[in-house]
Amino acid sequence: MKYYPLFLDITRCKCLVLGAGSVAGRKIATLIKAHALEIIVIDPYVTQSDFSKAFYEEYGFEPNVSYFQRDFLIEDLEGVRLAFACTASSEVNGNFAEICKEKNIFCNVIEEPERGNFIVPAHLDYENLVIALSSSGVSPAFTKALKDDLNNWIAKSYVPFLRLIKMLRPLILRNVEERKRPQIFRAMVEKNFREEVMALIELKKFHDLHRKLAQVLPETIIAKIDDKEIFHDKDK
C-alpha cells in the first residue's frame, strides 16, 4: 500500500492553495465543502477582480477564503496544516513542496504527486456516504472510470437505503430497549435483508417495504417512516 488512507477533519485547519487556475478552483471548492477553518489562495498572475468574478460567481461569498495577487512568501505558511501546489510551473510547485516538507506541512502537488506527501483521491460524496478511490498513481483514467461505474451503481440503491437508515436510527434509539438495539441494527444491514429493502425502495413499493421492515422493527417505528424523505421528494 503506497498511501495511508485517511478521512481528515479540517474544520480547525488553515489551508494554503498556491495557484488560482481551474485545478486550484476545484481544490478550493472541496476545502469549502469540508468546512476548512481558513483558506489562503496566492497567485501572482490572476488579478483580484478576475479571481473574485470566477470564484464568487461559482461558489458565492465565502468569508474564510482570502486571495492575494503576489508571489508566495515563506511566512505565508505560518499556521498552515494543508498546502496545495497548483501552479502551471513544475519548478514552482516542486520548490513549494520542498519548503512544506521542511516545515512538516502536508503538501499535494498536481500533475506530479510524487513530489508531495499526500494525494487527493477521486471521491464520491452522497451526504453521509463518502467513498474515496485511488490507483496510487498507476492510472488516474482507470480511477475515473471506476468512479463513474460506482456512481451509477451506488446512487440508485445505496444512497436511498442510507437515508432510510439515517431516518430510522434516532427512532430506534428512542423507542427500543438498549439491549435489543444491536440485534436490530445488524439485522437491517444483513445482506439478503438489505438487498430486498433496496429493491423495494428502488421500485417505490412502500407498502411492501413497510411489511419487510416490520420483520425487524416495532410497528410504532414503521408508522413514523416518511417515505418521501428517502428520496428527498417532500415537495413532489
Side-chain angles (χ1 to χ4, degrees), residues 121-156:
H123 70 278
L124 296 165
D125 184 359
Y126 308 103
E127 303 166 54
N128 303 289
L129 176 64
V130 180
I131 300 173
L133 305 167
S134 171
S135 63
S136 298
V138 173
S139 177
F142 170 77
T143 303
K144 184 180 184 305
L146 179 59
K147 175 182 174 180
D148 292 341
D149 289 346
L150 287 173
N151 184 49
N152 292 332
W153 174 51
I154 292 170
K156 184 168 63 174

Side-chain angles (χ1 to χ4, degrees), residues 183-209:
Q183 180 181 350
I184 290 177
F185 287 131
R186 286 194 298 268
M188 291 191 63
V189 296
E190 187 272 329
K191 186 176 186 298
N192 292 335
F193 185 89
R194 181 183 72 234
E195 289 180 348
E196 187 169 344
V197 166
M198 288 192 296
L200 293 171
I201 291 174
E202 184 178 344
L203 295 171
K204 295 191 176 183
K205 292 187 175 182
F206 295 120
H207 180 69
D208 292 338
L209 172 64

Side-chain angles (χ1 to χ4, degrees), residues 66-231:
S66 301
Y67 179 71
F68 300 95
Q69 184 193 353
R70 58 169 172 76
D71 289 323
F72 159 74
L73 303 173
I74 292 180
E75 50 263 38
D76 290 326
L77 289 171
E78 183 68 33
V80 168
R81 303 285 298 278
L82 287 180
F84 300 82
C86 303
T87 77
S89 169
S90 175
E91 181 180 1
V92 171
N93 288 343
N95 291 339
F96 177 72
E98 287 303 316
I99 295 172
C100 288
K101 289 178 183 178
E102 291 172 4
K103 293 181 171 293
N104 292 319
I105 297 170
F106 285 107
C107 183
N108 169 250
V109 181
I110 64 166
E111 303 298 336
E112 299 177 287
E114 68 280 357
R115 303 189 73 172
N117 49 16
F118 82 96
I119 62 172
V120 179
H123 70 278
L124 296 165
D125 184 359
Y126 308 103
E127 303 166 54
N128 303 289
L129 176 64
V130 180
I131 300 173
L133 305 167
S134 171
S135 63
S136 298
V138 173
S139 177
F142 170 77
T143 303
K144 184 180 184 305
L146 179 59
K147 175 182 174 180
D148 292 341
D149 289 346
L150 287 173
N151 184 49
N152 292 332
W153 174 51
I154 292 170
K156 184 168 63 174
S157 299
Y158 280 89
V159 172
F161 177 76
L162 191 61
R163 288 197 190 115
L164 173 65
I165 296 296
K166 181 181 179 181
M167 183 197 313
L168 292 174
R169 182 175 178 83
L171 295 175
I172 293 170
L173 293 177
R174 288 197 300 268
N175 295 280
V176 177
E177 295 178 46
E178 184 175 356
R179 63 184 180 84
K180 295 182 179 179
R181 294 171 194 164
Q183 180 181 350
I184 290 177
F185 287 131
R186 286 194 298 268
M188 291 191 63
V189 296
E190 187 272 329
K191 186 176 186 298
N192 292 335
F193 185 89
R194 181 183 72 234
E195 289 180 348
E196 187 169 344
V197 166
M198 288 192 296
L200 293 171
I201 291 174
E202 184 178 344
L203 295 171
K204 295 191 176 183
K205 292 187 175 182
F206 295 120
H207 180 69
D208 292 338
L209 172 64
H210 292 187
R211 290 177 59 189
K212 184 65 180 178
L213 293 173
Q215 294 177 10
V216 297
L217 293 172
E219 191 59 42
T220 53
I221 293 179
I222 302 296
K224 296 178 181 178
I225 294 175
D226 184 345
D227 296 327
K228 291 183 179 180
E229 179 64 20
I230 300 173
F231 293 91

Side-chain angles (χ1 to χ4, degrees), residues 3-28:
Y3 294 101
Y4 183 77
L6 176 71
F7 283 87
L8 185 65
D9 178 358
I10 62 170
T11 54
R12 297 184 180 182
C13 287
K14 180 180 179 181
C15 305
L16 191 152
V17 179
L18 188 63
S22 58
V23 174
R26 292 194 294 272
K27 302 292 186 185
I28 296 166

